[in-house]
Structures are given as structure tokens and as C-alpha cells.
Amino acid sequence: MRRVTSPPRLRPPRPVAPAEAGEPGDGSSARIHLGRVFKAESASYFLLLGTTLFLVVFGLVMVLSSSSVDSYLENTGFFGTVLRQGGFALIGVPLLLVVSRLPLKFWRRIAWPMLVVSCLMQCLVVFTPLGITVAGNTNWLSLGGIQFQPSEAIKLALVIWLGMILSQKKDRLDDWRHVYIPVFGVGGGAVLLVLIGGDLGTVMIMAGILFGALFFAGVRLRLLAIPLVIAAVLALLVAISSSNRMTRILSFLGTGCDAADGTISAACWQPLHGTWALANGGIFGVGLGNSKAKWSWLPAADNDYIFAIIGEELGLIGAVVVLCMFILLAFAFIRIMRTSPSVQAKVSTAAVLVWVIGQALVNIGVVLGVFPVLGVPLPLVSAGGTALLSTLVAIGIVLSFARGDHEDAAAPSDEDE
């Protein structure tokens, strides 16, 4: 007889203990942790980061081209200015990436201390011999042989502080006392410290930050009308109180700058040569490094008037590319602002938007002759270490909001605590 064997019994799989999942040789734990560190960011994050890095690299190229002659004449070699600017960029870009990892709670906690410290530094500028006057504006501080602009730190502090204070007042913004007293009392006082130093261009950008934050926070226009009129009247009085500023305004209006012959006045020299540089560039430009205006014809060629060198060397096409980059930057700011569930993130992003894009429009408008000479650099492009660092940190703050969007949406708002 044939023996009948029973089929083998199948054993159920042995469950894996939780502790065994992280044993050596099993990469699941490592994959989880690395996934948290290198998680995919939003499209707005990469759009803002990529556009910013492009403008920084492009700015270094243009600073090298526009400053080489003046650097050589100042005995720092052809690469003196660009090496200094590159050093600030090497500090600023990693700092941007570090700042972009900080949480929203950090900015809320640091808002008041940062505003107080930056205002104290500005007091050293305007009320002590440590302040340094450049081109008629007392806006620089010298400490330990290092010169920097505390007004740039005040811009950063205002961006963070406005987001914090307006998020706390979000349900009471219809009451003028909760708008005028904190924003124009404290924030306006910080702006006044810069105004005492005489830097009207920076003051206008800072005033734009205040009004822009209030507008995007949802404050009614009727509450902004009176402060806006007062600010315009105050700016006019400050402008006519200085002979230097009045000369710039008169040159902008064409007084003494439209003569067919004769010596060009000092006030008309820079605007005229900036216009001639743009005209010389045409559509395609004269080629990178081939500018004639940078040969000591155009003052501040690597700073306030770097857009004129861009137009001369790269032509209309290069100028339009720069404009498109700032449009992309504005688009990224708006996308982050619209998708953020936090009022603080929205207001601070709006403040950075007004700061960076508004300052770019003012700088380009000055070069094109739309505005009188105000002395503000082109963000991320012009030479200037303090301005570059502050702008990169401000954009890093916005990137931190872009990274935290999904986290804030899932958790209760901190502003309601």
C-alpha cells in the first residue's frame, strides 16, 4: 500500500519587534530620519531660493565688471571690491540656509530684543561720534574697525516685529488705537532714528515696510490715509530742508541739466551719465566688461547705478532679464504669503516683499530718471556687504515660513495661545 503523507503546515510569519527595526543592517530607520532632514520642499520655496541665488551670482559678476577700474585706482587691485562682496556672499548664503530652518516661534520670541538692539545701535550712529557720514548721510557705525549700517538691522527687526505685533492684534485692527500706538509709535520711532541721520532713501523704504505690512494685514485704508498724508508732508519738509536734496530734486526736474553746452553741474553729472550709459548699450549691449561709463565717468557704478552698467554692457535684453528676475521674486513672495496659514508669516512676508521689490523699483526708477537720486542700492546685485547680508537674512526668514506651511496648517495657530 502507498503511504499517504499529510501536507506540511505553514507557520505564520514571526512579527518583528519594534526594537529590531533599527538594528544594524536595516536601513529603514536611517531612511526615516534622512527623509525628515531632506524632505521635499514646496515649489515656492525652490522658486524663491533659486531666483535669489541667481541674482547673487549675477550681482557678483556685475560688481566685478563695474568696479574693476575704481578698485585698481584705489590700489586694491582689479578684484578688490568683488572679493569683498564675494566674502559677504559666502557668509550670507549659508546664513540664509540656516535661517530658513528656524521655526515660527523663534521669530516671535526674538522680535522685541532684535528691535531694541538695532535701535540702540542706530542711536550710537546719530548721537555719538561713532557715527560716520557718507555723502551727507550719517548712517554708518564704526565698531572695532568694522563699518556697517544699523538701519539694515532695523529693517530686519521691523519685518519680524510687525509680523508678531499685527498677529497679536489681528482681531482689533479696526480700532485705530491698536494700529497707531504700536505700529506708528514704536515702529515709527525706529524710522525716526534713521531720519535723524538724514538717509531719506532708506527712510522711504522703511516707511513702505510699515504701510505695506498694515495693508496686507487687512487694516482699512481709511485708517492709513491720515498717517500716509502726514508721512508725505514730513518727507517733503525733510527734502526741502537740505540744500543737497533740493539740488538733486532740481536736477531731476531738469534745472541746469539740459544745456547744450557748458560744464555739467555735479548734481546733473550722475543722472546724465547713467542715461548715456543706458543709451550706449542699445538692445544687445556693448559686451560684458566693455562699459565706458565705469572708467570714472559714472559715480557709484558698482552700487546705486549698477543697473546703468547692466544696461550698457548687456543691453535692453540684460535689463529686461533683471526685471524678470525681480518679478519672479515677487511672484514667489506672493505665493508663500497666500499659502501660509499664519498671520505672522503673511505679514512678515508682505513686509519683505515691499522691502526688496520696492527698493529694486526705486533703484531702477532712479537710473531711468523716473525718481530723483535717492541713494538706495539694487537688492542682491549692488555692492554693499551690510545690505546684501540683511537682504539674504530677510529672504531666509520668508523661506522658513515656506518650509513651515504644512506644519502650521496641521497644528493650531500659535497666535491663539
Side-chain angles (χ1 to χ4, degrees):
M1 296 179 63
R2 187 174 55 183
R3 182 184 299 177
V4 179
T5 59
S6 60
R9 288 179 295 180
L10 299 177
R11 294 182 179 180
R14 184 174 62 90
V16 180
E20 296 176 352
E23 290 179 355
D26 188 352
S28 60
S29 177
R31 286 195 299 270
I32 292 174
H33 292 301
L34 288 177
R36 291 176 181 174
V37 175
F38 298 104
K39 60 185 176 183
E41 307 295 353
S42 64
S44 301
Y45 178 95
F46 287 112
L47 177 62
L48 180 58
L49 179 61
T51 307
T52 300
L53 295 180
F54 174 86
L55 285 172
V56 171
V57 174
F58 178 79
L60 291 176
V61 173
M62 294 312 304
V63 167
L64 170 61
S65 177
S66 59
S67 67
S68 57
V69 175
D70 288 337
S71 295
Y72 181 78
L73 294 177
E74 294 171 0
N75 297 321
T76 58
F78 288 108
F79 304 100
T81 301
V82 72
L83 288 178
R84 183 168 62 251
Q85 186 74 0
F88 282 108
L90 289 177
I91 297 173
V93 171
L95 186 60
L96 173 146
L97 297 176
V98 171
V99 168
S100 70
R101 312 293 297 185
L102 298 176
L104 189 66
K105 290 182 179 179
F106 174 82
W107 303 119
R108 185 176 294 111
R109 293 170 181 171
I110 203 176
W112 274 109
M114 188 171 181
L115 183 62
V116 171
V117 171
S118 60
C119 288
L120 288 177
M121 289 192 298
Q122 184 64 24
C123 288
L124 294 178
V125 173
V126 295
F127 298 125
T128 71
L130 296 175
I132 298 176
T133 302
V134 177
N137 298 329
T138 306
N139 199 29
W140 293 82
L141 181 64
S142 178
L143 289 177
I146 300 176
Q147 293 185 10
F148 60 96
Q149 293 176 286
S151 60
E152 295 294 327
I154 293 180
K155 287 181 185 177
L156 272 177
L158 282 177
V159 163
I160 301 169
W161 181 81
L162 285 169
M164 182 271 297
I165 201 70
L166 290 176
S167 66
Q168 294 178 355
K169 304 284 186 180
K170 61 180 179 179
D171 297 325
R172 291 166 285 180
L173 294 179
D174 289 336
D175 189 345
W176 67 270
R177 291 170 296 182
H178 292 282
V179 175
Y180 289 175
I181 294 176
V183 175
F184 295 112
V186 179
V191 177
L192 182 62
L193 289 175
V194 181
L195 183 60
I196 295 174
D199 193 348
L200 186 58
T202 301
V203 167
M204 292 178 64
I205 301 300
M206 295 172 72
I209 292 175
L210 290 180
F211 284 103
L214 289 171
F215 175 78
F216 285 102
V219 177
R220 295 179 182 272
L221 293 178
R222 59 181 175 83
L223 290 179
L224 299 179
I226 296 177
L228 191 59
V229 171
I230 295 175
V233 172
L234 183 61
L236 180 61
L237 293 176
V238 172
I240 64 178
S241 64
S242 171
S243 58
N244 183 34
R245 296 191 192 97
M246 279 302 300
T247 304
R248 292 182 180 182
I249 294 174
L250 291 175
S251 66
F252 167 71
L253 297 176
T255 303
C257 294
D258 54 357
D261 53 4
T263 303
I264 302 174
S265 65
C268 300
W269 184 277
Q270 192 173 27
L272 281 177
H273 281 82
T275 302
W276 293 342
L278 289 173
N280 187 42
I283 297 179
F284 300 102
V286 297
L288 188 63
N290 294 328
S291 168
K292 296 179 180 178
K294 69 180 181 182
W295 289 82
S296 301
W297 289 104
L298 180 62
D302 60 338
N303 197 317
D304 297 348
Y305 268 74
I306 196 170
F307 189 75
I309 304 299
I310 294 172
E312 183 181 12
E313 294 188 347
L314 304 180
L316 178 63
I317 295 177
V320 170
V321 168
V322 173
L323 289 173
C324 290
M325 288 297 103
F326 281 104
I327 292 174
L328 278 179
L329 211 61
F331 179 70
F333 283 136
I334 293 173
R335 286 192 58 175
I336 293 171
M337 184 172 57
R338 292 185 60 185
T339 57
S340 176
S342 168
V343 175
Q344 179 175 352
K346 289 180 180 179
V347 174
S348 293
T349 302
V352 177
L353 165 67
V354 175
W355 168 6
V356 177
I357 305 304
Q359 184 168 316
L361 292 178
V362 169
N363 175 274
I364 294 172
V366 167
V367 176
L368 296 178
V370 179
F371 306 120
V373 178
L374 292 172
V376 294
L378 187 61
L380 302 173
V381 178
S382 293
T386 309
L388 178 63
L389 286 178
S390 63
T391 306
L392 286 174
V393 172
I395 294 175
I397 294 173
V398 177
L399 288 174
S400 72
F401 299 149
R403 291 188 64 256
D405 283 346
H406 58 284
E407 298 171 2
D408 292 341
S413 177
D414 295 327
E415 295 138 4
D416 298 330
E417 293 180 355

